[in-house]
Amino acid sequence: MTPTVRKADPPTQRSALRIILGDQLSLDIAALADLDRERDTVLMMEVEEEGSYVRHHKQKLVLVLAAMRHFARSLQALGIRVEYIRLDDPDNTGALPSEILRAAARLRPDRIIVTEPGEWRVQTLLEDAASLTGLPVELRADDRFFASRARFAAWARGRRGWRMEHFYREMRREHAILMEGDSPAGGEWNYDAANRQRLPKAMSAPTRLRFAPDALTREVMALVEQRFGDHFGSIAEFGWPVTRTDALLALQDFITAGLPCFGDYQDAMRAGAPFLYHSLLSPALNVGLLSPREVCHAAEEAWNAGKAPLNAVEGFVRQILGWREYVRGVYWTWMPEYAERNALQADRRLPEFYWTGETSMRCLREVIADTARHAYSHHIQRLMVTGNFALLAGVVPREIERWYLAVYADAFEWVEMPNTLGMAVFADGGQMASKPYAASGAYINRMSDFCSGCVYDVSLKTGPKACPFNYLYWAFLIRNRERLSANPRLAMPYRTLAAWTRERELAILAEADAFLDSLAGAPPIAGAPPIAGASLVSGPLIAGAN
Ligand SMILES: Cc1cc2nc3c(=O)[nH]c(=O)nc-3n(C[C@H](O)[C@H](O)[C@H](O)COP(=O)(O)OP(=O)(O)OC[C@H]3O[C@@H](n4cnc5c(N)ncnc54)[C@H](O)[C@@H]3O)c2cc1C
Ligand code: SF4
């Protein structure tokens, strides 16, 4: 159920406190519309609680705080009064509701205006603030998204099975993106089949535009090291855009250096090349420095100008107009109960190597090392390496979910949680994905060069040298037979299993369990209730590593 926030009276000549949260850094955000420069004040707050409710990657903290400080400057340059609470202000109480209360007592506004927050947790904090101050709060819809929460609810109402593809087609029509009249551009809605190529050995990865931190960002980096120095990841190579100007340059870099090959190599992975042709735009999009509309239009224009092929442009647009909007709808429809889903009754703790990167499995080692270094992995690294392993190993969904929320610069719960619970570990039992994204080592070998330098042999199914993904895959299918064997998309592997003897199955289960039990920090917690909240997440161990 969505918590209610009291609606304000229609605007009059009174003064308003306009709150801008750390992921609302857009000049055209709803909370700033009709701002009265004479009477209104914008309130922006850096608070300890937001920095530490999970142990966010230090680059994520730098991204949000540096982007907030730059944004405040650009508001001030427009003559807008900004009340900016810094993390190190001596009077900072460290939490959003109490900071809103303090600001309301100082500034004495008649009302508070805020754009609906991205996360459920923050919405409840705003409710607390509303009752603390006693002021009317006007909660405005976040119209930076293509589909409002109400629009998604209207699409979902009465549907038995939700599929992203159906929603996506409706969005294409509604927003006239990649359309030729009433038909999809090029005649097909989806060019995914063309988008699964391995990166040829001879092809080198493009150099991507990164941004050297300016003085203000360096100041934030020092603050983050000082206040959150034991959090996961390294700050040394911070290169994310933190201003609107740089975010537009990043978009331009993607359109020229990434988009033309984005489709073909969207699923490819290569050791030492974490970015490839991906856009790297999610951090800027998620804090509001770029809008999903302008990003989709830039890609469409590149296609119109003959600078990028349709399979790339459609593939990119689908991620934004389709997946990004869809997961937001899923999140707001099913929260807060969604956070506790565990359809497969997974019961193993998150292995310690997710924090340290210390594992002999090369694919995981490479992806986790890049995550620590850049606060970034592309989609297939998240879904088919770290996500796939957590799925096959039966990691408690809430533990892997908190990990994803902590380790990426773009991680905000509304987009991270459905991707993790729904897509990566099938914790919602199929509401997001039509089948679990479970795969053996063969998939990773097909899409990457990781296996060639691994101590394990991807072609071996059992034995000490066998790739763990292989026996874990079959053990996963055996363990979940009752829940999954009726799924038509898993008919083939279950047909294969049907020919196995019970002894063979037991041997695979024993090998998988022995391997998982050997991993530090990964005991099963059989019989334990679903894990809620961040408190059980073990502390990150490689602060500053890599
Ligand atoms: C387990 C898991 C956790 C994830 N957590 C996050 C997260 O916290 N924040 C986040 O923004 N994305 C998340 N994603 C989705 C996706 O992996 C990232 O958006 C993408 O990797 C960001 O890199 P990019 O900007 O280079 O994306 P590109 O590959 O260039 O894609 C373009 C854009 O499309 C959007 N997009 C792509 N895939 C998805 C998706 N599945 N869901 C929503 N939007 C998508 C992003 O805005 C992205 O910037 C997650 C995926 C998985 C499997
Ligand atoms: S052999 Fe297995 S563990 Fe090693 S890199 Fe390949 S998939 Fe990963």
Side-chain angles (χ1 to χ4, degrees):
M1 207 182 76
T2 307
T4 49
V5 174
R6 276 194 298 137
K7 290 260 163 44
D9 300 326
T12 62
Q13 288 300 310
R14 299 167 306 149
S15 68
L17 186 62
R18 295 173 184 259
I19 296 174
I20 295 291
L21 300 167
D23 57 355
Q24 298 183 339
L25 310 179
S26 319
L27 283 176
D28 60 353
I29 190 120
L32 296 182
D34 65 30
L35 177 136
D36 182 338
R37 283 187 175 78
E38 298 301 315
R39 296 184 176 78
D40 296 350
T41 305
V42 170
L43 174 65
M44 296 180 71
M45 299 155 283
E46 300 175 356
V47 292
E48 179 78 23
E49 192 176 64
E50 291 302 301
S52 55
Y53 72 93
V54 292
R55 295 158 73 91
H56 308 281
H57 195 300
K58 283 178 277 185
Q59 290 198 27
K60 177 178 172 187
L61 293 169
V62 173
L63 167 80
V64 175
L65 297 179
M68 282 175 72
R69 289 185 184 194
H70 281 98
F71 186 73
R73 271 192 188 171
S74 45
L75 290 179
Q76 282 158 343
L78 292 170
I80 295 171
R81 190 163 41 228
V82 180
E83 181 83 355
Y84 194 94
I85 312 300
R86 289 167 56 118
L87 197 63
D88 46 2
D89 283 346
D91 296 333
N92 189 333
T93 55
L96 290 175
S98 47
E99 279 310 295
I100 295 171
L101 179 64
R102 230 164 47 88
R106 265 192 324 275
L107 301 164
R108 302 187 165 278
D110 300 302
R111 62 193 168 127
I112 292 174
I113 299 176
V114 61
T115 308
E116 61 192 7
E119 300 187 354
W120 177 271
R121 185 185 57 78
V122 180
Q123 184 148 311
T124 60
L125 292 176
L126 290 178
E127 275 225 307
D128 294 348
S131 59
L132 279 175
T133 61
L135 289 170
V137 175
E138 187 184 335
L139 186 67
R140 295 184 174 175
D142 191 344
D143 55 14
R144 295 173 301 172
F145 289 89
F146 284 101
S148 65
R149 292 187 203 167
R151 176 66 186 91
F152 185 87
W155 173 81
R157 200 167 298 127
R159 275 174 201 267
R160 268 191 298 149
W162 296 7
R163 284 295 161 250
M164 192 289 291
E165 185 66 25
H166 302 150
F167 171 77
Y168 165 59
R169 291 180 188 187
E170 215 163 295
M171 288 295 105
R172 287 265 298 271
R173 282 203 185 92
E174 197 163 301
H175 296 279
I177 295 185
L178 290 180
M179 295 298 294
E180 288 162 349
D182 209 29
S183 306
E188 302 287 338
W189 287 103
N190 183 318
Y191 291 86
D192 212 23
N195 290 358
R196 294 180 188 139
Q197 296 182 43
R198 187 189 162 107
L199 194 69
K201 268 200 184 113
M203 201 163 161
S204 52
T207 305
R208 302 301 303 276
L209 184 63
R210 307 290 287 160
F211 299 88
D214 64 5
L216 194 155
T217 302
R218 287 198 302 276
E219 190 181 287
V220 171
M221 288 166 83
L223 179 70
V224 166
E225 280 293 13
Q226 182 209 335
R227 299 285 286 254
F228 307 100
D230 61 345
H231 281 210
F232 178 77
S234 160
I235 219 165
E237 292 182 60
F238 184 88
W240 298 106
V242 294
T243 62
R244 167 86 179 144
T245 308
D246 284 354
L248 287 170
L249 289 173
L251 173 58
Q252 201 43 53
D253 175 65
F254 168 63
I255 297 293
T256 51
L259 185 61
C261 292
F262 174 85
D264 292 352
Y265 306 116
Q266 196 179 345
D267 291 1
M269 297 178 277
R270 176 179 284 177
F275 304 144
L276 293 178
Y277 299 95
H278 288 269
S279 72
L280 317 182
L281 295 178
S282 51
L285 277 166
N286 292 355
V287 298
L289 297 177
L290 290 174
S291 86
R293 282 188 185 81
E294 71 188 335
V295 162
C296 287
H297 288 141
E300 191 173 15
E301 271 169 31
W303 176 61
N304 284 331
K307 293 180 177 159
L310 187 54
N311 70 311
V313 174
E314 186 283 317
F316 179 71
V317 164
R318 178 158 23 93
Q319 305 312 314
I320 302 210
L321 179 63
W323 280 112
R324 190 169 185 270
E325 299 284 326
Y326 184 74
V327 299
R328 178 171 181 261
V330 166
Y331 178 82
W332 281 104
T333 306
W334 287 325
M335 278 299 280
E337 160 277 326
Y338 194 64
E340 306 303 329
R341 300 277 183 98
N342 187 358
L344 301 181
Q345 297 182 345
D347 64 357
R348 211 170 261 280
R349 303 301 301 261
L350 185 72
E352 226 163 74
F353 71 71
Y354 273 79
W355 297 112
T356 63
E358 286 166 15
T359 166
S360 43
M361 291 173 280
R362 184 172 182 221
C363 49
L364 282 155
R365 197 172 64 236
E366 294 279 351
V367 170
I368 293 168
D370 284 337
T371 300
R373 194 169 153 197
H374 299 297
Y376 178 83
S377 285
H378 72 60
H379 187 65
I380 294 302
Q381 294 161 335
R382 298 185 204 200
L383 185 64
M384 301 310 294
V385 180
T386 45
N388 186 24
F389 187 87
L391 171 73
L392 300 184
V395 172
V396 177
R398 194 65 163 150
E399 291 217 358
I400 184 68
E401 189 275 315
R402 294 285 99 174
W403 183 81
Y404 280 113
L405 186 62
V407 301
Y408 295 119
D410 62 22
F412 292 86
E413 198 180 86
W414 64 267
V415 52
E416 172 275 331
M417 185 182 282
N419 268 296
T420 306
L421 299 186
M423 213 187 280
V425 297
F426 208 67
D428 67 8
Q431 276 176 305
M432 267 276 290
S434 55
K435 74 170 182 84
Y437 283 92
S440 68
Y443 176 85
I444 294 173
N445 190 34
R446 188 162 66 246
M447 297 314 301
S448 78
D449 61 356
F450 294 143
C451 301
S452 57
C454 185
V455 296
Y456 296 107
D457 184 338
V458 72
S459 67
L460 296 178
K461 307 283 179 264
T462 57
K465 292 288 285 176
C467 166
F469 280 88
N470 291 343
Y471 48 77
L472 289 176
Y473 172 74
W474 290 109
F476 168 81
L477 290 175
I478 296 166
R479 251 190 283 117
N480 291 290
R481 188 180 346 237
E482 258 182 48
R483 296 181 191 99
L484 299 178
S485 58
N487 185 322
R489 298 196 62 197
L490 293 174
M492 216 157 69
Y494 276 110
R495 261 200 306 277
T496 305
L497 266 185
W500 286 24
T501 61
R502 186 61 188 151
E503 287 68 36
R504 190 170 171 197
E505 284 189 1
L506 290 174
I508 284 280
L509 288 171
E511 188 162 6
D513 281 346
F515 174 77
L516 293 172
D517 290 345
S518 75
L519 299 175
I525 42 174
I531 291 194
S535 57
L536 288 171
V537 176
S538 52
L541 305 174
I542 44 172
N546 292 293

